[in-house]
Amino acid sequence: MSSRMLDVAAPVEGAVVALDGRGLRVADVVRLADGRDGRDGGVRPLPAPEALRRVEESWDAARRIAATGRVYGRSTGVGANRNEPVPTEAAAEHGLRLLRSHAGAIGEELPARQVRAMLAVRANQLLAGGAGLRPEVVTSLCTALESGAYPVVNEFGSVGTGDIAALAQMGLALAGEHPWKGPAGGAGAGGAAGAVGGVPEPLLLDNNDALALISSNALTLGQSALALHELRGLIEATQVVGALSLLAVDGSHEAYAAPVHAARPHRGSTQVARRMRELIGAADRPTPPLGRIQDPYGFRCLPQIHGPAHDAADALEDVLTVEINAAAENPLICAEDLAAYHHGGFYQAQLALALDHFRLSLTQVARLSTSRLSSLNEPNYTRLRPFLADHEPASSGVMILEYAAGAALGDLRAFSAPASLGHAVLSRGVEEQASFASLAARQTLRACDAYRLVVGCELVAAVRALRLRDLRPEPGLPVGRALELAESVLDADQADRPLTDDVGAAARLLDGFTEIWRESTA
């Protein structure tokens, strides 16, 4: 299996995540967002000295450039006001007015984890050295990440050309004009004694800091990193569930044979087929089954559907890795050239398209899970009663799970609508296009719960079928460990009864299945 499919979740050694504006990974953003390391307890950010020097040089260059010429957002207004000059005597107040006017995000307050991901991404981007703002901003962001404090940020305000409303709220919090929250459970204005522990000391932000601070898609990138991390793991877990279902229906191993995929060598499909052979202990060239010639698509086409989802996850990770380490501020301050380059590097078309592609591939994987669930309910495949029912007359068994999974899949399908089809013309026509990457990120996050429930339904049915048939894979196989884990959690009562708690428990089990998937490649 390719290292890319594993490294996304590999933890950084120790309890420190280095921020250098060059090498931050999706997994690092997740660790900082969670504020803890799975093995070592707390985790804290550590800015690299050479990166801090880049920030210092960029800040010095930005002030020199702004003092001698027109620079967007520093000596001028923004958006349709780009041609309005800002007098030198009004420059300091202009920065705060810009933050105040743009801190208008609306909707629900975002959870701490998403806001912390935003802080982590923004701190690292600033260390790339192109923003031209004061180094104390980076220090303050790292202080907040380490302490657990985070600014109040509302959900809506971006159309994929910069998360300016959310980041302006962050900027006002750094200036002491917007509330913080934190682990102490309180909330108050920045710097208010005793309100929230670990709030950074208020910063004096001026015209050289304001636009530079909010010229980023850090919230969208942080949300995307969290969604990719969770959903990649769930796709891996789904293959383990699919392997259990394959055993429950006496499925053929031929669909995963090495010659089949060598003849059509798409990377993702080939790797998924190999992983399936590892999970169930199948040979590279398995013996054809004695029974039915071939299985339904839910089993036969698993590599062809799971493979593209892995490929889409890799493509999304590539985009995110570039963006979370990018100096994409407009204008870009280049200390070497002593120049401010005005550009459109903030426009997130690549991210929006990668997120849309990933969600579409994810929906295909979930839909295949519902296909396997239907097969598990069919006596022709399980040799059991319809719907895996018990011995009582006309028992319904797990019939309802098809309906429940179908309903959750409906939500997932709705979340997969391409956000990049959106369009907006803003700021008096000056900004006449939008990527809607922000919407794509929110939709991808929302897909997590619906996807879990779809696959949880399949897992409940697969374990019941294996129990009813008294089938046990070899304990040493990954699929054997998965069944043992599932049986230790899922209720063995096969009488007609509500299955809500069973599906919830199965959905939570999927993280353990992800670990089994990854351990089998070690």
Side-chain angles (χ1 to χ4, degrees), residues 396-474:
S396 296
V398 298
M399 178 194 294
I400 196 62
L401 294 187
E402 285 191 76
Y403 296 80
L409 181 63
D411 268 24
L412 189 57
R413 188 165 52 245
F415 295 147
S416 295
S420 54
L421 291 176
H423 179 60
V425 178
L426 305 166
S427 195
R428 298 174 58 196
V430 172
E431 299 168 5
E432 75 282 16
Q433 182 81 314
S435 74
F436 282 94
S438 49
L439 172 59
R442 291 196 302 273
Q443 287 178 322
T444 310
L445 270 175
R446 288 167 180 159
C448 295
D449 289 343
Y451 183 93
R452 272 187 188 273
L453 292 172
V454 170
V455 182
C457 289
E458 181 192 354
L459 178 55
V460 169
V463 172
R464 179 182 286 220
L466 290 167
R467 280 170 163 165
L468 286 168
R469 297 193 61 193
D470 197 24
L471 289 177
R472 293 290 181 277
E474 293 181 24

Side-chain angles (χ1 to χ4, degrees), residues 9 49 68 82 97 178 189 205 223 226-227 257-258 326 356 399-400 420 437 450 470 484 492 497 505:
T68 57
R82 67 194 184 284
R97 283 193 294 106
H178 187 74
L205 300 177
Q223 291 172 323
L226 295 176
D356 285 352
M399 178 194 294
I400 196 62
S420 54
D470 197 24
E484 182 180 2
R497 58 184 178 79

Side-chain angles (χ1 to χ4, degrees), residues 131-155:
L133 87 174
R134 64 187 68 229
E136 290 84 356
V137 172
V138 176
T139 306
S140 293
L141 293 176
C142 290
T143 296
L145 282 168
E146 185 167 354
S147 70
Y150 63 96
V152 172
V153 173
N154 298 91
E155 184 174 18

Side-chain angles (χ1 to χ4, degrees), residues 218-237:
L219 174 59
T220 296
L221 293 168
Q223 291 172 323
S224 300
L226 295 176
L228 172 61
H229 179 82
E230 180 171 356
L231 289 169
R232 186 193 280 272
L234 290 175
I235 293 169
E236 294 164 353

Side-chain angles (χ1 to χ4, degrees), residues 220 224-225 227-228 316 320 350-360 436-442 444:
T220 296
S224 300
L228 172 61
L316 175 55
L320 284 172
Q350 285 176 299
L351 178 60
L353 291 167
L355 285 165
D356 285 352
H357 178 201
F358 179 55
R359 287 196 316 285
L360 287 168
F436 282 94
S438 49
L439 172 59
R442 291 196 302 273
T444 310

Side-chain angles (χ1 to χ4, degrees), residues 170-249:
M170 180 189 77
L172 282 186
L174 291 174
E177 294 190 10
H178 187 74
W180 293 81
K181 289 189 173 182
V196 179
V199 171
E201 290 295 320
L203 292 176
L204 178 62
L205 300 177
D206 60 21
N207 63 311
N208 283 307
D209 303 306
L211 181 65
L213 183 59
I214 67 177
S215 184
S216 163
N217 294 277
L219 174 59
T220 296
L221 293 168
Q223 291 172 323
S224 300
L226 295 176
L228 172 61
H229 179 82
E230 180 171 356
L231 289 169
R232 186 193 280 272
L234 290 175
I235 293 169
E236 294 164 353
T238 303
Q239 187 169 355
V240 181
V241 176
L244 289 173
S245 296
L246 180 75
L247 297 177
V249 301

